[in-house]
Amino acid sequence: MGSISESPAKGQLGSIFSTLPETPLDEPFAVNGAYKQDCNAQKVNLGIGVYRTSEGAAWPLRVVEETEKQIYETGDVNRHEYLAIQGDQEFLTLASGLVFGFGEDKDSEPSMTEQQRQRVVSIQTVSGTGANRLGAELLARNVRPGCVWIPDPTWANHYTIWDLAGVPKKGYPYYDATYKTFDFEGTFRTLSTSAKANDVVILHACAHNPTGADPTQEQWKMLAQLCKEKGIIPFFDLAYQGFASGDAKKDAWAIRYFFQELHEVEFCVAQSFSKNFGLYGQRVGALHVALSSTATNDTASKLHANLCHLVRGEYSMAPRGGAEIVKTVLGNEHLRNKWQEDLTTMSQRIQLMRNALFNELIKLGTPGDWKHVINQASCFIGMFTYIGLTENQVHAMTERHHIYLLKSGRISISGLNEKNVRYVAMAIDDVIRTVD
Ligand SMILES: Cc1ncc(COP(=O)(O)O)c(C=O)c1O
C-alpha cells in the first residue's frame, strides 16, 4: 500500500517543491531590507523608490489625510462592500480623465469629449504593477505579439511581468552612458530595423526608471510615427504622473500626443497612484486601453468583458479603500487644488536635492561631469537618476559609507536631505577617486 511519503512526485527530497527553480532577488526590496538591518547612525537609503521628507520620514499627503478623515466621517455603511469586477466606475472616469485630459479643454464640444472617452476602455487594477500585468496578459492571450521590446535598462519588474505572460522579450538600447541621455538613435534604429507588426514596445511615459532620462517632445513624435508605420503596439507605463514635474498634464504629454494625433494606433496605459498620491501600500491603479477611432462599440464591449474575465479569475476586483481616496480628491475642486500643492511640495523638494547634490560634487571637485544630475534641458526628471558609478564603486558606497543604492548606480533622490547630502557627495567623491 502506498503511503504519502512514498509518492513518486515527491522524489528523494521529500517534497513536491524540492526541485523548484531559484528565483532572482528583487533588488530594490533586498537593498531596503539590508538598509533596515544596518545599525550605523550615518546610513542613507537611496535604494527604494518612495518619497521621503527632509527629515527622511514617510509623508502621507496632506490632502490624503484630510480626505481619509472626510470619508470616515461620512459613516457610509457600504464602504467595505465589494466593488464591481471592473472597479469603481467613477474612479475610472476620473482616472482616465487625468491621463487623457478629457474635459480639460473648456472650449471643446461635449460630444467630442464623449467620442474620445469612448475610445478608451478602463479597468481598475492592483496598482501600476497589476495594470502592467493585466495588460501583458490581455495582449499575450489575444494579440499574441511576436515579442515585447523592453528598454534597457528598465524597472526590473517589466522582465518578470512579461516572462509570466509568456511573451518573448527583447531589449532596445535606452540609455547613452557616454552622453548620459536617452539614446534616441539607438532606440529608433533598433525598433525601425527589427520590430514587427503587433510587437509591443514598453515606454515609460515620464521620469524613466532607473535613469531619469526622458525623450524630448520631438523624439516622442518620431517614436509615435514609427509605431504607426510599423504597427508596433505602444505600452505606456505611467507611474509618476504629476510626481515628476509637479504638473500632471505635462507628465502625460506623450500619451496625450499618441491619443490625439494617431487615431489608428491602439495602445495600453498602466496607471499607478502609488507615488503621486503616496498610496504605495493601498494598491491603486488602472489599465486603460486606447482603441483606434474606427473600432466599433461591440469591440469596446468585448474588450471590457475580457478584461473583467481576467480580473475575476485572478482576484475578483481591485481593492476599494485607496481608490475611494483618489476618487474623492479628483472629483472635488478644492481637494484637487490641495493635491496640486502636495505635488508641488514633493517635486520641488526632489529638484532641490538634485541641485544640492550637484553643488556639493562641484564644490568637492569630484572627477566627472555632473550636469546630468540637474539638467532639465536633457529631460532628467523625477525620483531617480543614474549617478554613473561602477558596480565596485556602488559596493564601496555601501561597505565603507553605509549608503544603499542599486548595483546599476541608480539613486532615489528622495533619500537625500539637507543633513545627508554632503555626506553622500563625499562618499561619491571617495569611491570615484579610489575604486575602479
Ligand atoms: C516604472 C514603474 N512602473 C510601475 C511601477 C509600479 O508601482 P506600483 O505597483 O506601486 O503602482 C513602478 C514602481 O516603482 C515603476 O517605477
Side-chain angles (χ1 to χ4, degrees):
M1 200 175 80
S3 71
I4 293 175
S5 62
E6 284 163 10
S7 153
K10 281 190 159 185
Q12 298 288 310
L13 295 168
S15 167
I16 50 170
F17 301 114
S18 58
T19 55
L20 285 187
E22 295 292 331
T23 53
L25 266 189
D26 185 89
E27 202 194 356
F29 280 90
V31 168
N32 199 42
Y35 167 81
K36 284 186 176 164
Q37 302 267 307
D38 190 334
C39 299
N40 189 285
Q42 280 189 302
K43 67 179 180 175
V44 181
N45 190 357
L46 305 180
I48 192 94
V50 291
Y51 182 76
R52 290 291 177 252
T53 64
S54 51
E55 300 301 317
W59 193 58
L61 269 61
R62 287 172 316 166
V63 69
V64 166
E65 291 199 312
E66 179 177 336
T67 310
E68 274 175 318
K69 208 159 152 247
Q70 192 175 310
I71 291 170
Y72 183 72
E73 281 169 1
T74 56
D76 179 1
V77 294
N78 293 314
R79 66 186 184 279
H80 300 304
E81 292 294 286
Y82 287 126
L83 285 179
I85 295 170
Q86 72 197 37
D88 180 325
Q89 190 49 53
E90 208 181 322
F91 160 80
L92 288 170
T93 303
L94 290 159
S96 63
L98 186 68
V99 177
F100 295 95
F102 299 136
E104 263 178 27
D105 177 3
K106 300 289 174 235
D107 297 334
S108 83
E109 297 265 327
S111 60
M112 271 297 289
T113 306
E114 205 33 53
Q115 262 178 26
Q116 289 195 331
R117 272 190 195 283
Q118 290 190 352
R119 275 182 60 203
V120 179
V121 173
S122 302
I123 188 152
Q124 196 178 321
T125 57
V126 182
S127 211
T129 305
N132 273 282
R133 180 72 185 92
L134 181 65
E137 196 62 30
L138 172 81
L139 293 170
R141 282 170 180 267
N142 301 291
V143 180
R144 299 179 200 286
C147 76
V148 53
W149 292 91
I150 298 185
D152 177 17
T154 193
W155 178 54
N157 214 9
H158 284 143
Y159 295 107
T160 309
I161 287 167
W162 286 89
D163 214 26
L164 293 177
V167 176
K169 305 179 291 299
K170 289 187 182 162
Y172 67 89
Y174 188 85
Y175 190 62
D176 183 328
T178 311
Y179 293 102
K180 299 191 166 106
T181 57
F182 164 54
D183 183 358
F184 176 70
E185 274 73 32
T187 295
F188 198 87
R189 190 178 349 97
T190 305
L191 295 177
S192 58
T193 54
S194 307
K196 308 245 173 351
N198 285 354
D199 283 357
V200 175
V201 62
I202 304 292
L203 300 166
H204 294 230
C206 66
H208 178 264
N209 176 5
T211 66
D214 284 352
T216 62
Q217 290 189 356
E218 285 316 303
Q219 291 169 341
W220 274 124
K221 287 182 189 171
M222 288 195 266
L223 291 172
Q225 196 56 31
L226 182 66
C227 289
K228 176 176 157 184
E229 279 165 15
K230 299 212 66 167
I232 305 170
I233 305 165
F235 195 122
F236 285 99
D237 191 352
L238 179 63
Y240 299 92
Q241 189 184 4
F243 182 93
S245 70
D247 177 349
K249 193 170 172 180
K250 193 165 159 191
D251 293 343
W253 187 90
I255 295 175
R256 293 184 187 187
Y257 178 83
F258 274 65
F259 187 68
Q260 281 154 15
E261 303 299 322
L262 304 166
H263 296 179
E264 318 75 342
V265 176
E266 304 192 298
F267 61 91
C268 294
V269 180
Q271 180 182 27
S272 165
F273 289 98
S274 291
K275 323 278 169 164
N276 55 7
F277 272 81
L279 287 169
Y280 307 94
Q282 300 298 338
R283 317 308 293 141
V284 193
L287 175 71
H288 308 284
V289 185
L291 292 171
S292 98
S293 52
T294 53
T296 62
N297 288 344
D298 184 45
T299 302
S301 305
K302 271 201 211 133
L303 172 58
H304 187 259
N306 271 268
L307 287 169
C308 286
H309 180 68
L310 291 174
V311 163
R312 179 67 168 142
E314 287 283 346
Y315 47 79
S316 277
M317 75 276 305
R320 180 169 193 140
E324 190 76 24
I325 296 172
V326 171
K327 174 179 81 172
T328 309
V329 173
L330 293 182
N332 174 299
E333 205 181 326
H334 161 75
L335 294 174
R336 216 175 159 121
N337 290 339
K338 289 206 142 184
W339 178 51
Q340 181 54 55
E341 286 170 21
D342 289 344
L343 287 177
T344 307
T345 301
M346 294 192 288
S347 56
Q348 282 188 351
R349 201 188 86 70
I350 288 191
Q351 192 51 42
L352 221 83
M353 285 302 114
R354 278 184 184 274
N355 294 344
L357 181 62
F358 174 78
N359 290 337
E360 292 295 347
L361 290 167
I362 298 299
K363 267 195 250 162
L364 290 165
T366 307
D369 173 10
W370 301 102
K371 280 200 234 41
H372 67 286
V373 176
I374 51 166
N375 196 348
Q376 292 287 316
S378 67
C379 297
F380 270 90
I381 195 164
M383 181 106 84
F384 303 114
T385 211
Y386 248 17
I387 196 71
L389 298 179
T390 64
E391 218 174 300
N392 286 340
Q393 290 168 339
V394 169
H395 186 68
M397 289 282 283
T398 308
E399 288 302 303
R400 289 185 194 170
H401 303 288
H402 304 269
I403 297 173
Y404 291 79
L405 63 159
L406 301 197
K407 276 204 301 274
S408 59
R410 183 196 88 169
I411 63 169
S412 175
I413 301 279
S414 171
L416 294 173
N417 56 51
E418 283 78 3
K419 291 187 205 102
N420 67 19
V421 65
R422 183 160 174 76
Y423 176 70
V424 170
M426 284 167 61
I428 294 174
D429 187 81
D430 169 49
V431 301
I432 287 206
R433 290 181 196 275
T434 60
V435 182
D436 284 337

